[in-house]
Amino acid sequence: MGESLNGMKRTIMCGQLRETDVDKVVTVMGWVQRRRNLGGLIFVDLRDRTGIVQVVFGEEINKEAFEKANPIRSEYVIAVSGKVVLRESPNSQLPTGQIEIKAESLRILSESETPPIYIMENLDASEAIRLKYRYLDLRRPDMQRRIMIRHKTAKVVRDFMDENGFLEIETPMLIKSTPEGARDYLVPSRNFPGKFYALPQSPQIYKQLLMISGYDRYFQIVRCFRDEDLRANRQPEFTQIDIEMSFVDIDDVIELNERLIQKIFKEIKGIDVQIPFMRMPYKEAIEKYGSDKPDLRFGMEIIDIKDVVKSSSFKVFSDVVASGGEIRGINAKGCADFGRKEIDRLTEYVKTYGAKGIAWIAIKENEIKSSFAKFMTEDELKAIIDRMDGKVGDLLLIIADKSKTAFASLGALRLELGRKLNLIGPDNNEYKFLWVTEFPLVEFDEEEGRYVAVHHPFTAPMDEDIKYLETDIGKVRAKAYDIVLNGEEIGGGSIRIHDTKLQERMFNAIGLDIEKAWAKFGYLLEAFKYGPPPHGGLAYGFDRLIMFLTETDNIKDVIAFPKNQNAADPMSNSPSEVDKKQLEELGIDIVEQK
Amino acid sequence: MGESLNGMKRTIMCGQLRETDVDKVVTVMGWVQRRRNLGGLIFVDLRDRTGIVQVVFGEEINKEAFEKANPIRSEYVIAVSGKVVLRESPNSQLPTGQIEIKAESLRILSESETPPIYIMENLDASEAIRLKYRYLDLRRPDMQRRIMIRHKTAKVVRDFMDENGFLEIETPMLIKSTPEGARDYLVPSRNFPGKFYALPQSPQIYKQLLMISGYDRYFQIVRCFRDEDLRANRQPEFTQIDIEMSFVDIDDVIELNERLIQKIFKEIKGIDVQIPFMRMPYKEAIEKYGSDKPDLRFGMEIIDIKDVVKSSSFKVFSDVVASGGEIRGINAKGCADFGRKEIDRLTEYVKTYGAKGIAWIAIKENEIKSSFAKFMTEDELKAIIDRMDGKVGDLLLIIADKSKTAFASLGALRLELGRKLNLIGPDNNEYKFLWVTEFPLVEFDEEEGRYVAVHHPFTAPMDEDIKYLETDIGKVRAKAYDIVLNGEEIGGGSIRIHDTKLQERMFNAIGLDIEKAWAKFGYLLEAFKYGPPPHGGLAYGFDRLIMFLTETDNIKDVIAFPKNQNAADPMSNSPSEVDKKQLEELGIDIVEQK
């Protein structure tokens, strides 16, 4: 049975004890990691969030404590007082391994049944059981480290933003539903039966309103919600670092955020990140890396060979040339000895991205093998090899397809080769930051049959492209930017339109009629009548950033109480049924499912 | 039309300019507070969140800027560059009043229609219009000061908690609904049609789980939700500073929080709050002040006179004595000259608290007047006056009623007198902190016909009262504490039960059967099987705290985007109707209202 503290005070945490504490009498409290009997003594490894310390109970040390220690088992919570002494056999693996505590008194604060999962690093248990017993999973030291890094990162962000004149301003969670973007979580209103609030997908409109209100520099670490089918590493509720600034253009936002990132990586990982980061226009990113979030930890850039093969008689190439597609390739350095099987595997892989196949050239010591040699003259082959800088030992992989497919397939192929060749992966602790800029303002939405905003319709076009709004909108680049780390987007934002007339031209250009726009964003448009400052901002996926900082690829590892793939919580059995009476008050009813 | 910044950079904020900046060329950006033409010059008061600076346009200063300035009106957004000079006629009211900027160039960044509310301090506009145009209301300097103090307070709290080893850990917003306490906001689940999440009323269970998980010291500044009918100064979504600690008892929680409060008041208001704060058991608070949140800025304590009148023949008193009620009074010092009308008003006032009336004695220079003199002997009257320390000029106000009514009425009467006599009120900047402790563990719920937990069923009983759990539960005091400031509860908390067996005794004692308890809190009870540490905590109403710090009595003044009394937002027109399709996906339907 659990005893009360009754005035007993902890004097130090377990993991803090060192050789310098020898001869002090200390009181520690924590969980029993392990208990062993050895040579008439009882050894207990006692754990708190700072680490583990060894406690020794013995008849000679203190008989009462020794006897009281007898029932102790794993995960019991105890308080121990005693003198710190040097260990006879030190453990150099533990920071506290030089010392131990000779227990002079013991209080058993609470008992524990045998836990259903082991409280240990890198537990290999199913996700289902880890989520069901999340309070035990959260006891594991690797989980605790990640949660502590999350706390510390939030603190570093807040300190930095405060020092730079940003105000953290809370925006509402019960907001208006807008049928734009992802699916909203809805909240029925009791005062207005049949009406609903939505939970925010982001505070986008509120942060723009705060700029119009003159707050100048806003940020918030804020919960956001999306009711979408959960892909891996998505959660229905997630956290953003949300930032907005007034009287700025792209460079101001980028400069601030580079210093923020630099500070985070210095404080959390002790790494000096060099700034400014590289910037790359969207077009270049696609053409060189087949991706708008290129992983720059390795090269293997995509090479355009269309002009050297355009008059080839190889039908695969000539058809693509005729239909205006792309013929591009990657030089997989040193991979000439890939077997047929491996090349087949890569071919299957790119097919999932829509490519029809891979044309390849393997440059071996004494011969050049190629899937299409027989359709080419030796000169033509040589021209390709020259263009792709092919050397002995290289494997040239070529895809000819319509533009979108070619880039997507080559981008994916490049990453697959990077992984295969261990150029990227869990052991690669390089951090390659990149700003991708000059995104297209709009993209053609096949479903809607019109152009739609790539980011949101408040994103400003680049000054020099405004003139194409009405004549060639597909050509207009946006003042939008993503920050990419090792091939993952960790944040993105834009400069917003602050001119009502330009906003109207934008709505017109994407064929969104003004009335519809007013129905959706009326209060923001109304606000724009009263002196909006130029403004722009950025938002980071905070969970994703913490994943990088804690080197995990599982978003559930960085959230204390995440949901599972069905957006459910197996621990609390949520969502759950509610009283009929509650629904009556809300004026809603459950539709019987067939 | 709004111009773009095109590389133009702000060099300083308006309110930061001082005499020491004279002769510097600066660029400021902001909103036009006021524009006047005077002696061939155009004067503009330019405003940003730091303050106002005067800008002068003149043909002699810069002709182009002067001409461009002509259309400028209130709330236009402009960027101005020019030299800082001493003013000919300084304005000592403004921090920037010694200087002005001679405008050498101007860019009009955006225009403004005439705003529907004035952008000025202490605006006297209806709440409805302030909420509808919240983005303009938020431009007003007094609103901006409050929002900035809110930011700064959150920062001070986070710094303090971090320095004291607390981890800020985010808890979920989509949680399990529990039919306990206030009404939950519900969120329909799409994956499980007919099932619902709830938005948290507080992270209570999660913070206890985090203690069980060994995080030791947790805090969070966190949004909470209650779907209740809105009394004044309540909001459907509000913010808590939520705190929980392991291996502590009452004194540890109190000591930490006193230092936190001291730090906040020092940093935000420059006030040295003396600690430790006074502590008062609940019983004493009720008996002396008729309230569990006494305002200690003035005395006027309640005095028990039952024993001196117990044998009186005054029926009002003797009846109450016979039925076991209370006869207590307040000495309203110096109020003997209150007229009949004023006493009638106070009588009506206490009737709203259930009292049947007030018996009074006015001690005038040459006579003693009393509403019940004719029922009393002179000695009896004198005994009352002596007990109540009545002096010439005093008015003694007595209430005889059943206990609860007597205390509630006297508590209310005391506050009403305090306000009337200006002992408390908006001009009184004293801060009187108090811990109210030793709350009863349970109270009798007439509706449920049983005892229920005053706080929540996890609140620990005081060690010395545990023995009464089964025999006399009404007598058991809890390890619960509220922090009271000037008569308002700003926070409260308790030490929790950490012993499964004690928890079961508690459930039994309040007649909550174990099965029901498991259905409600099963996962917390399950967690308690695996070594819960002793723990306790506290939560502050953050909005309420900011109200004190910004000296406003309106909660909407400290929340950027609050809801109105119907929990609606007139700005965005939320809550609103949603697409039929969205409801179908959620498996719910709207019930037609009659």
Side-chain angles (χ1 to χ4, degrees):
Chain A
M1 202 189 92
E3 293 177 278
S4 158
L5 286 171
N6 267 329
M8 197 172 183
K9 292 258 184 215
R10 177 169 66 183
T11 63
I12 194 164
M13 308 265 298
C14 300
Q16 293 172 335
L17 283 162
R18 293 290 181 278
E19 254 184 282
T20 47
D21 296 305
V22 164
D23 284 341
K24 287 184 194 158
V25 174
V26 298
T27 302
V28 290
M29 304 187 183
W31 285 260
V32 173
Q33 178 71 33
R34 195 160 76 124
R35 167 253 168 90
R36 287 162 302 154
N37 288 36
L38 203 71
L41 299 169
I42 298 174
F43 289 86
V44 164
D45 286 347
L46 194 64
R47 187 191 71 235
D48 64 23
R49 80 175 198 211
T50 65
I52 280 176
V53 69
Q54 179 164 292
V55 180
V56 196
F57 296 87
E59 206 155 1
E60 312 273 285
I61 304 167
N62 183 298
K63 190 159 188 277
E64 194 189 334
F66 175 71
E67 281 168 2
K68 215 168 164 185
N70 202 44
I72 285 179
R73 296 170 55 195
S74 285
E75 300 310 315
Y76 273 42
V77 182
I78 63 173
V80 179
S81 293
K83 193 185 271 190
V84 180
V85 299
L86 282 177
R87 277 206 213 178
E88 274 178 34
S89 40
N91 175 349
S92 61
Q93 308 289 356
L94 274 186
T96 64
Q98 300 301 312
I99 55 94
E100 63 191 10
I101 300 172
K102 295 199 145 193
E104 278 145 33
S105 81
L106 166 66
R107 201 169 288 185
I108 297 178
L109 296 172
S110 75
E111 300 175 0
S112 175
E113 295 185 9
T114 303
I117 62 172
Y118 288 107
I119 312 303
M120 58 181 279
E121 299 256 338
N122 305 316
L123 177 73
D124 185 25
S126 78
E127 185 170 284
I129 199 149
R130 286 181 57 196
L131 289 181
K132 180 163 171 55
Y133 296 97
R134 188 61 169 180
Y135 41 86
L136 296 176
D137 194 38
L138 283 170
R139 263 188 205 169
R140 299 187 307 101
D142 48 345
M143 280 306 297
Q144 295 202 336
R145 266 197 308 275
R146 284 188 284 262
I147 298 295
M148 288 191 254
I149 287 175
R150 187 177 176 117
H151 159 75
K152 194 174 168 193
T153 307
K155 186 70 175 54
V156 169
V157 171
R158 287 191 162 106
D159 288 350
F160 177 89
M161 297 310 282
D162 182 68
E163 280 159 22
N164 284 276
F166 285 80
L167 303 170
E168 185 159 24
I169 303 176
E170 295 178 59
T171 52
M173 291 282 156
L174 297 172
I175 70 168
K176 184 185 173 74
S177 177
T178 45
E180 190 82 337
R183 199 184 284 107
D184 282 331
Y185 275 105
L186 297 181
V187 182
S189 158
R190 186 174 52 87
N191 285 335
F192 301 93
K195 294 194 174 184
F196 295 80
Y197 307 94
L199 300 178
Q201 296 183 28
S202 90
Q204 180 65 34
I205 290 186
Y206 287 99
K207 71 175 174 173
Q208 292 195 241
L209 289 174
L210 286 170
M211 294 303 101
I212 294 172
S213 299
Y215 286 84
D216 210 274
R217 298 187 147 207
Y218 145 95
F219 85 105
Q220 195 182 184
I221 300 183
V222 61
R223 197 71 51 82
C224 301
F225 304 84
R226 277 182 206 176
D227 187 9
E228 290 298 328
D229 298 323
L230 296 184
R231 285 186 269 156
N233 285 330
R234 288 279 176 101
Q235 282 281 308
E237 44 179 320
F238 56 97
T239 302
Q240 267 186 205
I241 308 174
D242 197 39
I243 297 175
E244 195 80 6
M245 309 164 73
S246 289
F247 302 112
V248 295
D249 213 329
I250 298 175
D251 287 351
D252 306 283
V253 179
I254 283 187
E255 186 271 342
L256 177 103
N257 280 283
E258 286 175 345
R259 288 191 293 116
L260 170 61
I261 289 289
Q262 191 179 48
K263 177 95 178 177
I264 292 170
F265 275 76
K266 181 68 185 173
E267 297 282 323
I268 303 298
K269 298 203 74 75
I271 289 173
D272 287 303
V273 170
Q274 291 307 306
I275 60 172
F277 300 155
M278 193 177 161
R279 295 193 204 180
M280 190 182 291
Y282 171 85
K283 188 164 181 285
E284 184 182 339
I286 295 293
E287 290 185 353
K288 279 195 181 153
Y289 303 98
S291 167
D292 61 358
K293 43 184 184 183
D295 190 329
L296 297 190
R297 284 176 296 175
F298 69 109
M300 220 184 271
E301 291 175 14
I302 297 169
I303 302 155
D304 188 356
I305 61 165
K306 191 154 115 183
D307 60 317
V308 303
V309 300
K310 65 173 181 291
S311 48
S312 149
S313 55
F314 182 30
K315 199 171 154 10
V316 171
F317 289 175
S318 56
D319 282 358
V320 166
V321 169
S323 65
E326 300 289 343
I327 305 172
R328 302 194 183 219
I330 285 174
N331 182 342
K333 301 296 288 179
C335 298
D337 54 354
F338 273 16
R340 185 78 216 179
K341 215 169 136 187
E342 182 54 27
I343 292 177
D344 284 350
R345 196 187 67 80
L346 292 174
T347 305
E348 288 310 308
Y349 184 73
V350 298
K351 280 184 179 169
T352 65
Y353 292 85
K356 284 179 281 294
I358 296 177
W360 55 267
I361 304 171
I363 311 170
K364 309 215 171 188
E365 192 74 50
N366 296 314
E367 60 169 338
I368 290 174
K369 293 186 82 171
S370 168
S371 61
F372 57 95
K374 57 183 162 187
F375 306 107
M376 293 262 157
T377 67
E378 209 163 296
D379 280 354
E380 281 172 335
L381 223 49
K382 186 164 181 313
I384 297 174
I385 292 170
D386 281 354
R387 168 61 60 85
M388 295 183 73
D389 197 27
K391 306 280 183 245
V392 170
D394 293 351
L395 175 68
L396 312 181
L397 300 165
I398 297 159
I399 288 179
D401 219 307
K402 45 180 199 286
S403 175
K404 215 169 169 175
T405 307
F407 288 124
S409 306
L410 285 162
L413 181 61
R414 175 179 172 270
L415 288 178
E416 183 61 15
L417 287 165
R419 282 185 291 267
K420 185 173 164 63
L421 301 173
N422 276 322
L423 303 172
I424 51 178
D427 301 330
N428 186 326
N429 284 327
E430 237 184 319
Y431 294 93
K432 285 282 190 184
F433 290 95
L434 168 72
W435 290 103
V436 177
T437 59
E438 300 179 24
F439 277 85
L441 185 66
V442 297
E443 62 190 353
F444 195 78
D445 185 317
E446 306 281 347
E447 209 172 301
E448 301 231 351
R450 62 172 176 98
Y451 281 104
V452 296
V454 169
H455 285 76
H456 53 68
F458 312 114
T459 303
M462 286 178 70
D463 298 339
E464 56 270 47
D465 289 358
I466 293 178
K467 57 177 178 281
Y468 303 121
L469 265 180
E470 287 79 12
T471 53
D472 191 1
I473 191 169
K475 192 171 165 179
V476 179
R477 293 162 301 164
K479 288 189 175 178
Y481 32 79
D482 277 358
I483 179 163
V484 173
L485 169 54
N486 292 356
E488 292 221 46
E489 182 215 316
I490 59 170
S494 66
I495 300 298
R496 330 297 180 184
I497 296 173
H498 71 278
D499 177 341
T500 320
K501 295 201 185 67
L502 182 58
Q503 185 68 64
E504 284 182 14
R505 286 175 65 190
M506 173 68 187
F507 285 145
N508 277 325
I510 60 173
L512 184 64
D513 74 50
I514 306 295
E515 243 174 79
K516 263 198 193 151
W518 271 84
K520 280 182 188 172
F521 319 109
Y523 55 113
L524 182 60
L525 300 178
E526 176 74 19
F528 269 89
K529 289 184 185 169
Y530 305 105
H535 62 288
L538 186 137
Y540 293 91
F542 187 59
D543 310 290
R544 191 145 310 226
L545 182 63
I546 304 298
M547 287 167 66
F548 270 105
L549 294 170
T550 60
E551 291 164 29
T552 175
D553 56 7
N554 183 352
I555 196 171
K556 297 189 189 78
D557 280 349
V558 298
I559 296 176
F561 298 98
K563 306 280 189 293
N564 70 13
Q565 293 296 306
N566 295 318
D569 173 21
M571 178 183 73
S572 64
N573 260 320
S574 165
S576 59
E577 277 156 20
V578 297
D579 281 355
K580 190 81 189 151
K581 184 166 157 277
Q582 281 177 282
L583 302 184
E584 275 166 21
E585 286 184 316
L586 298 172
I588 60 172
D589 207 355
I590 295 169
V591 178
E592 286 305 317
Q593 301 294 306
K594 289 153 220 167
Chain B
M1 200 189 95
E3 293 178 279
S4 157
L5 285 171
N6 266 328
M8 197 172 183
K9 291 257 185 214
R10 177 169 65 184
T11 63
I12 193 163
M13 307 263 301
C14 299
Q16 293 172 334
L17 284 162
R18 293 291 179 277
E19 255 183 281
T20 47
D21 296 305
V22 164
D23 284 342
K24 286 184 194 157
V25 174
V26 298
T27 301
V28 290
M29 303 187 185
W31 285 260
V32 173
Q33 178 71 32
R34 195 162 73 125
R35 165 255 168 87
R36 287 162 302 155
N37 288 36
L38 204 72
L41 300 169
I42 297 174
F43 289 87
V44 163
D45 286 348
L46 194 64
R47 188 191 69 235
D48 65 23
R49 79 176 199 212
T50 65
I52 280 176
V53 69
Q54 179 164 291
V55 180
V56 195
F57 296 87
E59 208 156 359
E60 314 274 281
I61 304 167
N62 184 297
K63 192 159 185 281
E64 193 189 332
F66 176 70
E67 281 167 4
K68 215 168 164 185
N70 203 45
I72 285 178
R73 294 169 57 193
S74 285
E75 302 309 316
Y76 273 42
V77 183
I78 63 173
V80 179
S81 293
K83 192 186 269 188
V84 180
V85 299
L86 281 176
R87 275 207 215 178
E88 276 178 32
S89 41
N91 176 349
S92 61
Q93 308 289 356
L94 275 185
T96 64
Q98 299 302 311
I99 56 93
E100 62 191 11
I101 299 172
K102 294 200 146 194
E104 279 146 32
S105 81
L106 166 67
R107 201 169 288 184
I108 297 179
L109 296 171
S110 75
E111 300 174 2
S112 175
E113 294 185 10
T114 304
I117 62 172
Y118 288 107
I119 311 302
M120 57 181 279
E121 300 257 336
N122 306 315
L123 177 74
D124 184 25
S126 78
E127 186 170 283
I129 198 148
R130 285 181 58 197
L131 290 181
K132 180 164 172 54
Y133 296 98
R134 188 62 169 179
Y135 40 86
L136 296 177
D137 194 38
L138 283 169
R139 264 189 205 169
R140 299 187 307 101
D142 48 343
M143 281 306 298
Q144 295 202 336
R145 268 197 308 277
R146 285 188 284 263
I147 298 295
M148 287 191 254
I149 287 175
R150 186 176 177 119
H151 158 75
K152 194 175 167 190
T153 307
K155 186 71 175 52
V156 169
V157 170
R158 287 190 162 107
D159 289 350
F160 177 90
M161 298 310 283
D162 182 68
E163 281 158 22
N164 283 276
F166 286 78
L167 303 171
E168 185 160 23
I169 303 177
E170 295 178 58
T171 52
M173 291 283 154
L174 298 172
I175 69 169
K176 185 184 171 77
S177 177
T178 46
E180 190 84 339
R183 197 184 286 107
D184 280 333
Y185 275 104
L186 298 181
V187 181
S189 157
R190 186 173 53 87
N191 285 334
F192 301 93
K195 294 193 173 183
F196 294 81
Y197 307 94
L199 300 178
Q201 296 183 28
S202 90
Q204 181 65 37
I205 291 185
Y206 287 98
K207 71 176 176 174
Q208 292 195 240
L209 289 174
L210 286 170
M211 294 304 101
I212 294 172
S213 298
Y215 287 83
D216 208 89
R217 299 187 146 206
Y218 146 94
F219 86 105
Q220 194 181 187
I221 300 184
V222 62
R223 197 70 51 83
C224 300
F225 303 84
R226 278 181 204 175
D227 187 9
E228 290 299 327
D229 298 321
L230 296 184
R231 284 185 272 158
N233 286 331
R234 289 277 179 99
Q235 282 281 308
E237 44 178 320
F238 56 97
T239 302
Q240 266 185 205
I241 308 174
D242 196 40
I243 298 174
E244 195 81 5
M245 309 163 73
S246 289
F247 303 111
V248 294
D249 212 327
I250 298 175
D251 287 351
D252 306 283
V253 179
I254 283 187
E255 186 270 341
L256 176 102
N257 281 282
E258 287 175 344
R259 288 191 294 115
L260 171 61
I261 289 290
Q262 190 179 49
K263 178 95 176 175
I264 292 171
F265 275 75
K266 181 70 185 170
E267 297 282 322
I268 304 297
K269 299 202 73 73
I271 290 173
D272 287 304
V273 169
Q274 293 306 307
I275 60 172
F277 301 154
M278 193 178 160
R279 295 193 204 179
M280 190 183 291
Y282 171 85
K283 189 164 181 285
E284 183 182 340
I286 295 292
E287 289 185 354
K288 278 196 181 155
Y289 302 98
S291 168
D292 61 357
K293 45 184 182 182
D295 190 329
L296 296 190
R297 283 176 297 174
F298 68 110
M300 220 185 270
E301 290 175 13
I302 297 169
I303 302 155
D304 189 354
I305 61 165
K306 190 154 119 185
D307 60 318
V308 304
V309 301
K310 64 171 182 287
S311 49
S312 150
S313 56
F314 181 30
K315 198 171 155 15
V316 171
F317 288 175
S318 56
D319 281 0
V320 165
V321 169
S323 65
E326 300 288 343
I327 306 172
R328 301 196 184 217
I330 284 174
N331 182 343
K333 301 297 287 182
C335 298
D337 55 355
F338 272 16
R340 186 78 218 177
K341 218 169 130 185
E342 182 55 27
I343 292 178
D344 284 351
R345 196 186 68 80
L346 292 174
T347 305
E348 287 311 307
Y349 185 73
V350 298
K351 281 183 179 170
T352 64
Y353 291 86
K356 283 179 282 295
I358 296 178
W360 54 268
I361 304 172
I363 312 171
K364 308 216 174 189
E365 190 73 49
N366 295 313
E367 60 168 340
I368 289 173
K369 293 185 84 172
S370 169
S371 61
F372 55 95
K374 58 183 166 194
F375 305 108
M376 293 262 156
T377 66
E378 207 163 298
D379 280 355
E380 281 174 335
L381 221 50
K382 188 165 179 310
I384 297 175
I385 292 170
D386 281 355
R387 168 62 59 86
M388 295 181 75
D389 196 26
K391 304 283 183 243
V392 170
D394 292 353
L395 175 67
L396 312 182
L397 300 165
I398 297 159
I399 288 178
D401 219 310
K402 47 181 199 282
S403 174
K404 214 169 172 177
T405 308
F407 287 124
S409 305
L410 284 162
L413 181 61
R414 175 178 173 271
L415 288 178
E416 182 63 13
L417 288 165
R419 280 186 292 266
K420 185 173 165 61
L421 302 174
N422 277 320
L423 302 172
I424 50 178
D427 302 330
N428 187 326
N429 283 328
E430 238 184 317
Y431 294 93
K432 285 283 191 183
F433 290 94
L434 168 72
W435 290 103
V436 177
T437 59
E438 300 180 25
F439 278 83
L441 184 66
V442 296
E443 63 190 352
F444 195 77
D445 184 317
E446 306 281 347
E447 210 171 301
E448 300 231 354
R450 64 170 175 98
Y451 281 104
V452 296
V454 168
H455 285 75
H456 52 69
F458 312 114
T459 303
M462 286 178 69
D463 298 339
E464 54 270 49
D465 290 359
I466 293 177
K467 56 177 178 284
Y468 304 119
L469 264 181
E470 287 80 10
T471 54
D472 191 0
I473 191 170
K475 193 171 166 179
V476 179
R477 292 162 302 163
K479 288 189 178 180
Y481 33 79
D482 277 358
I483 178 163
V484 173
L485 170 54
N486 292 357
E488 292 220 45
E489 181 214 317
I490 58 170
S494 67
I495 300 298
R496 331 296 180 185
I497 297 173
H498 72 278
D499 176 342
T500 320
K501 295 201 184 66
L502 182 58
Q503 186 67 62
E504 282 182 15
R505 287 175 64 190
M506 173 68 188
F507 285 144
N508 277 326
I510 60 172
L512 184 65
D513 74 50
I514 306 293
E515 242 173 81
K516 265 198 192 151
W518 271 84
K520 281 181 187 175
F521 318 110
Y523 56 111
L524 182 59
L525 300 178
E526 176 75 20
F528 269 89
K529 289 183 185 170
Y530 305 104
H535 61 289
L538 186 137
Y540 292 91
F542 187 59
D543 310 289
R544 191 145 310 226
L545 183 63
I546 304 299
M547 286 167 67
F548 270 105
L549 294 171
T550 60
E551 292 163 30
T552 177
D553 55 7
N554 183 352
I555 196 172
K556 297 188 190 78
D557 281 348
V558 298
I559 296 176
F561 298 99
K563 304 281 190 293
N564 70 14
Q565 292 297 307
N566 296 317
D569 173 20
M571 178 183 74
S572 64
N573 262 320
S574 164
S576 59
E577 278 157 18
V578 297
D579 281 355
K580 190 82 190 152
K581 183 165 158 276
Q582 281 178 282
L583 301 183
E584 275 166 22
E585 286 183 317
L586 298 172
I588 59 173
D589 206 353
I590 294 169
V591 179
E592 285 306 314
Q593 300 295 305
K594 288 152 217 163

